[in-house]
Amino acid sequence: MTSDHWQTIKALPQASLEHLFAEDSDRVGNLGLEQSGLYFDFSKTHLDKRAMDAFQKLADDAQLSTKVNALFAGEPVNVSEGRAAEHGAERGTGNPTSVDNAHALHQRMRSLIGAIEAAALGEFTQIIHLGIGGSALGPKMLHQALKLGDEKYELAVVSNIDGAALEPVLERFTAEKTLLVVASKTFTTAETLLNAQSVLDWMREQGITDPLGQVVALTADPEQAVEWGVDETRILPFSETVGGRYSLWSSIGFSVALALGYDVFEDLLAGAAAMDRHFQEASWDKNIPVLAAFADQYYTQVRGCDTRAVFAYDERLGLLPDYLQQLEMESNGKSVTLEGEALSLQSSPIVWGGVGTDAQHAVFQLLHQGSHLVPVEFLAVVEPGDSLSPAHHNGLLLNCFAQGAALMAGKKSDDSHRNYPGDRPSVTILLEEMEASSLGALLAFYEHRTFVNAVLLNINPFDQFGVELGKQMANKLADDDGNRLDASTEELKKRAFGAE
Ligand code: F6P
């Protein structure tokens, strides 16, 4: 369908960043875009007029506009599972019926928060939020980004089945003050249910006679939660059409809304809705998620980049790379088209990253001089999150900007060991302040960018069958039904659990 446009894009002349800046005196003005307290600088990418024109033709050919409309109209864009992808409706953008349903469920969540704040369920000051993947990464990342440290509720998010993750929380927390939040879209996820059972056991050991009375469930399958033992009045459902990695906006955001305040959660939704509108309305050449996806496709398909690195120059955003790994790699790590044919293009790059300035002293060597070309994304916040000397925050921001400049400019040397080739691309995203609305817009930007990438690749970003086989194998190993796996795996099992 789109092969002619891909050929055109692949055949584009590859001008250097230095040349592109020299060619366009207003490159920063043209490729710097503002939205909802965020500034996106795409000028240090290799996108130029020719590339933009070619990508816009590709986007038109891929029916991007129609597909954006279908997404927000609640059409079954998740074709392999025959359902819609309605995370937009959670923030008020989408099919009116779905928007109304989401709003009603938010009101229910708000009422339960009011009851908990009024101590109707107990005198809680501690929250254990159990979930994994999309049921944990968003709440954990958001809480770390926005908490001030003086909140009434202490929140611990635990995901891993490794008891070493839960045990320290149980040692620190007091059972009668603890609200247990079990977050699972399916309410069948082994890690989450085992952790939940262990928390209930701990509560009983601590003298709580009705531990299930301290449980709130967040799920798209309320019947499963009831069967597990949660009272219906403390189940906060969300729609089956909201994917796990897109679910922060639904009742999965409950723990954060309780810990930080419902108004913070509403600001998050409002920021995301502003980005939804921008995505729906802006022309492709000024559309932030679309431009980001054009750059992604350029580096993946034309320059052969297998990875993209994200560095948050702010401790508060330290979990963002983890969140983005799931969002992008679980969404677009596919090898078949929407029609189920083999994909002839590379799908999602491997997303990795860390926190600046720490990462500069660990992995940036490869970015500056390694043989891999890695497009880099820098994030920084103008307003500091600390009250120490301004030298800290100024130094943080200056380091961030210096890295982008150094990657681009490089430095020639006759000594090849000391030569920096330069012409290495980056995008910088600046947040004016660490506010819920800006974070909402930022996360919605990433969701839409992921969607545009999927449309350009003609793949389905909303299923995740790739994670199923490992789960099945784990069950098979645990079942001990006499069925054997391969010799290597059986040997590992024997060494860990002893001979049968
Ligand atoms: O195993 C992958 C996955 O299904 C993710 O897509 C999801 O976010 C996570 O597990 C948790 O699933 P659930 O919310 O159903 O417990």
Side-chain angles (χ1 to χ4, degrees):
M1 168 182 73
T2 52
S3 58
D4 287 354
H5 296 296
W6 280 117
Q7 292 317 323
T8 308
I9 289 166
K10 287 182 179 176
L12 287 170
Q14 299 191 357
S16 68
L17 290 170
E18 186 185 8
H19 177 84
L20 294 176
F21 270 87
E23 195 178 57
D24 179 0
S25 59
D26 195 22
R27 185 167 172 81
V28 175
N30 289 329
L31 288 168
L33 298 170
E34 283 180 66
Q35 178 65 41
S36 307
L38 305 170
Y39 174 71
F40 296 79
D41 178 9
F42 294 104
S43 68
K44 292 194 189 81
T45 70
H46 290 83
L47 289 180
D48 64 358
K49 174 127 185 28
R50 272 179 299 222
M52 297 271 274
D53 287 348
F55 271 112
Q56 287 183 72
K57 287 190 181 121
L58 175 73
D60 290 340
D61 202 29
Q63 301 184 303
L64 179 58
S65 188
T66 309
K67 293 196 172 181
V68 171
N69 291 338
L71 172 74
F72 286 111
E75 289 177 27
V77 291
N78 178 357
V79 289
S80 60
E81 297 181 291
R83 62 178 178 231
E86 297 193 285
H87 39 286
E90 296 291 320
R91 52 234 190 188
T93 321
N95 176 303
T97 310
S98 309
V99 169
D100 286 350
N101 284 343
H103 182 69
L105 293 174
H106 281 151
Q107 287 317 308
R108 186 173 163 150
M109 170 171 157
R110 187 181 203 156
S111 305
L112 185 59
I113 287 177
I116 292 167
E117 284 172 342
L121 305 182
E123 299 279 347
F124 302 129
T125 53
Q126 296 173 322
I127 307 164
I128 299 180
H129 175 111
L130 302 177
I132 198 163
S135 294
L137 286 166
K140 196 171 178 182
M141 185 261 299
L142 200 66
H143 187 250
Q144 175 165 320
L146 294 173
K147 73 173 188 283
L148 299 173
D150 59 357
E151 287 84 12
K152 176 179 169 193
Y153 298 98
E154 183 182 359
L155 171 64
V157 178
V158 179
S159 48
N160 203 340
I161 197 169
D162 185 348
L166 180 60
E167 196 167 39
V169 177
L170 301 184
E171 282 166 3
R172 209 171 75 235
F173 275 29
T174 308
E176 63 173 319
K177 292 186 189 161
T178 299
L179 180 73
L180 172 59
V181 180
V182 185
S184 175
K185 178 175 176 185
T186 55
F187 227 81
T188 58
T189 303
E191 292 92 329
T192 303
L193 295 184
L194 179 61
N195 278 331
Q197 196 53 56
S198 294
V199 176
L200 293 183
D201 293 345
W202 166 78
M203 285 180 165
R204 272 188 207 100
E205 282 160 21
Q206 300 291 312
I208 306 290
T209 47
D210 177 25
L212 280 165
Q214 297 185 196
V215 177
V216 171
L218 320 174
T219 184
D221 195 341
E223 281 172 23
Q224 284 283 351
V226 170
E227 202 170 305
W228 193 80
V230 189
D231 190 88
E232 250 174 315
T233 56
R234 279 176 279 99
I235 296 175
L236 296 175
F238 63 95
S239 168
E240 183 64 32
T241 57
V242 176
R245 55 194 171 275
Y246 300 88
S247 63
L248 174 62
W249 326 98
S250 72
S251 63
I252 291 293
F254 166 81
S255 302
V256 177
L258 175 60
L260 302 178
Y262 198 81
D263 53 333
V264 172
F265 183 67
E266 280 188 322
D267 287 350
L268 179 85
L269 299 182
M275 185 57 79
D276 292 338
R277 283 192 296 278
H278 165 81
F279 179 49
Q280 287 176 298
E281 290 164 11
S283 61
W284 295 153
D285 62 335
K286 294 290 171 197
N287 194 309
I288 298 166
V290 172
L291 277 188
F294 286 173
D296 290 342
Q297 289 306 316
Y298 176 79
Y299 290 114
T300 310
Q301 314 306 341
V302 181
R303 296 288 185 107
C305 302
D306 285 332
T307 83
R308 194 179 98 247
V310 181
F311 296 102
Y313 274 68
D314 201 298
E315 287 284 331
R316 294 168 291 180
L317 290 176
L319 294 173
L320 186 69
D322 290 14
Y323 176 85
L324 295 180
Q325 279 181 333
Q326 184 188 17
L327 177 63
E328 299 190 35
M329 292 165 70
E330 195 168 77
S331 294
N332 287 346
K334 313 279 165 70
S335 301
V336 291
T337 64
L338 282 170
E339 294 78 25
E341 307 293 334
L343 183 67
S344 58
L345 298 157
Q346 287 292 347
S347 61
S348 170
I350 296 154
V351 179
W352 61 286
V355 174
T357 58
D358 293 7
Q360 285 175 208
H361 300 275
V363 295
F364 274 41
Q365 163 64 36
L366 180 148
L367 300 179
H368 288 285
Q369 288 189 315
S371 55
H372 296 273
L373 180 66
V374 183
V376 177
E377 202 155 282
F378 295 106
L379 290 111
V381 185
V382 175
E383 286 299 318
D386 65 277
S387 53
L388 296 185
S389 150
H392 287 275
H393 198 64
N394 294 347
L396 182 69
L397 295 185
L398 292 174
N399 267 282
C400 174
F401 305 154
Q403 289 300 325
L407 285 167
M408 178 165 79
K411 191 170 177 227
K412 298 284 169 275
S413 170
D414 293 338
D415 175 353
S416 57
H417 296 285
R418 291 174 174 77
N419 186 56
Y420 300 80
D423 199 33
R424 300 196 166 199
S426 64
V427 170
T428 301
I429 304 174
L430 269 186
L431 284 74
E432 278 165 28
E433 285 182 59
M434 188 69 80
E435 286 182 327
S437 58
S438 308
L439 280 179
L442 180 70
L443 300 182
F445 152 74
Y446 279 115
E447 288 178 349
H448 297 322
R449 167 197 200 158
T450 304
F451 179 70
V452 179
N453 273 311
V455 172
L456 298 179
L457 291 166
N458 190 35
I459 62 175
N460 178 8
F462 298 119
D463 62 13
Q464 60 283 322
F465 292 111
V467 296
E468 294 305 323
L469 181 60
K471 289 187 200 172
Q472 287 162 19
M473 290 270 198
N475 289 337
K476 198 166 172 189
L477 273 178
D479 272 355
D480 215 9
D481 56 2
N483 286 325
R484 294 282 169 265
L485 290 180
D486 62 89
S488 155
T489 309
E490 290 301 333
E491 177 65 21
L492 293 171
K493 196 178 161 192
K494 195 166 87 191
R495 282 173 182 268
F497 303 111
E500 282 159 31

